[in-house]
Amino acid sequence: MTALAHVPTSTGEPATPPAPRRGRFKLLPYLLLLPGAAWLLVFFALPLLQLAAASLYDPAGSLSTGYAMTWAFGNYPDALQAYWPHFVRSFAYSAIALVLALLMGYPLAYAIAQKAGRWKNLLLVAVVAPQFTSFLVRTLAWKTILSDNGWLVGLLRDVHLLGPDGRLLATPFAVVLGLTYNFLPFLVLPLYASLERLDYRLLEAASDLYASPLRAFRKVTLPLSMPGLIAGTLLFFIPATGDYINAELLGTPNEYMIGNVIDSAFLVRLDYPQGAALSFLLMAAILAIVFVYLRKAGTEEVL
C-alpha cells in the first residue's frame, strides 16, 4: 500500500496519499463541552430564569396563598426606591475596602514575588491560610478583637486615639475592615501570579536609562502587572459588594448592605418578588461597573 502511494500518475507526478478521515473527530470538542454546559444549564441558567420569573410575581402574593405571574415590572423601581441607600452603602464600603486592600496587597504581592527568595512558599501559605477556616469563624474572630472590652480598644483608649466611650465594633470602620481582611487573598494571589513573571532585568534597564524608582514602577512594573491587577480587583470587589456577613456581625442595621436586605427578603420577610428584584438590580449594577472598568482598563477583548 505504501509503495502504491508513490506510483507516478499519468502526468508523471507521484500520487498524493489520501487525506485522513477527520469527520468523526469534528464532534469531539462539542462532546467534551457537554458536561460543563449541562452543569451551567442546571445549576446556573435554570435558577437564574426562576429568579427572573420570581422578580415579576404579584407582590401581593405570599407563600401560603401562592404567587401569581402578573409581569409586575414595577417591583424593580419599588425595590430601588425603598433600598437605594443600601446599594450606595454596599458600593461605597466595597470601594473603600478595595483601596485599602490595594495599598496593602500590592506591596505584599510584590515582596513575595520578587524579594521573598526561599521564604516565598511560606509567605504564600500565610496569605492563603486564613481561607482554611470558615468565613463565619474568621468574621466572629474580628468581632472579638474589635469588641468594646477587647485589648485593641483598650490600647487605643490608653493612647487617647479613642475616647473613653469610643468603640470600633458596630461601626462602618469595622465592616470595611472585615471586608478588607476576608477578601484580601483574592486580590493578592492574582497580583502575585503577574508579578512573579516580571523580568527583573527590565527594571534594571529602566534604571540604566535614568528612570527613577517611581517612574520605573509606572512605566514597567504597573503595566506588566495589569492582568493580575484587573483580575484581583474584580475577584475582590464583586463578592465584597454582595457580602452580608460582615455587616451582620460587625455592624448594626445602620451599616447594613444590600446583601443584608436580600437575605432578609428571602429568609425573614418571605417577600420573594422583592428579593429577586433586588438581586437582579445588584447583578445589573455590578455588570455595568465591570463593563465600564474593563473598557477603561483597555481590555475589551476580555468581554
Side-chain angles (χ1 to χ4, degrees):
M1 296 294 293
T2 305
L4 292 177
H6 296 279
V7 174
T9 62
S10 58
T11 59
E13 298 178 357
T16 304
R21 296 181 179 179
R22 298 184 179 272
R24 58 183 176 179
F25 298 108
K26 288 182 179 180
L27 295 179
L28 182 60
Y30 301 99
L31 294 176
L32 294 175
L33 287 175
L34 278 180
W39 179 275
L40 289 175
L41 177 65
V42 174
F43 295 105
F44 180 76
L46 293 181
L48 192 64
L49 289 176
Q50 178 59 38
L51 189 66
S55 69
L56 301 176
Y57 287 162
D58 184 359
S62 66
L63 286 180
S64 58
T65 62
Y67 288 100
M69 171 56 76
T70 59
W71 302 98
F73 288 97
N75 290 338
Y76 286 90
D78 290 344
L80 185 59
Q81 183 178 7
Y83 295 107
W84 67 265
H86 297 80
F87 277 101
V88 175
R89 190 178 299 127
S90 297
F91 288 108
Y93 285 177
S94 300
I96 296 172
L98 177 58
V99 172
L100 293 176
L102 283 172
L103 293 176
M104 293 185 293
Y106 200 106
L108 176 61
Y110 183 85
I112 296 175
Q114 296 292 329
K115 305 296 183 181
R118 62 177 180 172
W119 302 103
K120 181 182 298 185
N121 292 334
L122 180 62
L123 291 175
L124 284 175
V125 171
V127 171
V128 179
Q131 305 300 311
F132 299 160
T133 307
S134 167
F135 188 96
L136 185 62
V137 172
R138 298 199 307 270
T139 309
L140 287 172
W142 274 107
K143 186 175 183 178
T144 302
I145 294 172
L146 301 176
S147 64
D148 295 341
N149 298 322
W151 64 269
L152 181 58
V153 171
L155 176 63
L156 294 177
R157 287 173 178 171
D158 291 340
V159 298
H160 302 291
L161 292 178
L162 277 178
D165 298 326
R167 61 184 321 201
L168 298 177
L169 191 63
T171 63
F173 170 81
V175 177
V176 172
L177 181 63
L179 292 173
T180 305
Y181 167 77
N182 279 308
F183 296 107
L184 182 63
F186 297 106
L187 175 68
V188 172
L189 293 180
L191 271 173
Y192 164 79
S194 287
L195 291 169
E196 199 271 337
R197 295 192 297 266
L198 178 65
D199 190 347
Y200 196 76
R201 292 174 298 179
L202 296 175
L203 297 177
E204 293 178 347
S207 178
D208 292 340
L209 295 173
Y210 304 102
S212 65
L214 180 59
R215 185 174 178 83
F217 172 78
R218 289 193 302 107
K219 296 296 185 179
V220 179
T221 306
L222 184 59
L224 292 177
S225 65
M226 281 303 292
L229 182 62
I230 293 171
T233 52
L234 292 179
L235 289 174
F236 183 100
F237 182 79
I238 293 174
T241 304
D243 179 70
Y244 65 94
I245 296 296
N246 287 279
E248 180 75 29
L249 298 180
L250 304 179
T252 67
N254 292 328
E255 286 80 42
Y256 277 2
M257 301 165 66
I258 193 61
N260 300 95
V261 178
I262 295 173
D263 174 69
S264 176
F266 278 114
L267 301 180
V268 179
R269 293 182 283 110
L270 302 179
D271 190 347
Y272 285 12
Q274 186 180 78
L278 288 170
S279 300
F280 264 87
L281 287 172
L282 177 61
M283 183 168 52
I286 290 177
L287 287 175
I289 291 174
V290 169
F291 179 80
V292 173
Y293 174 65
L294 292 178
R295 293 273 297 185
K296 291 294 184 181
T299 57
E300 296 90 336
E301 66 275 5
V302 176
L303 298 176

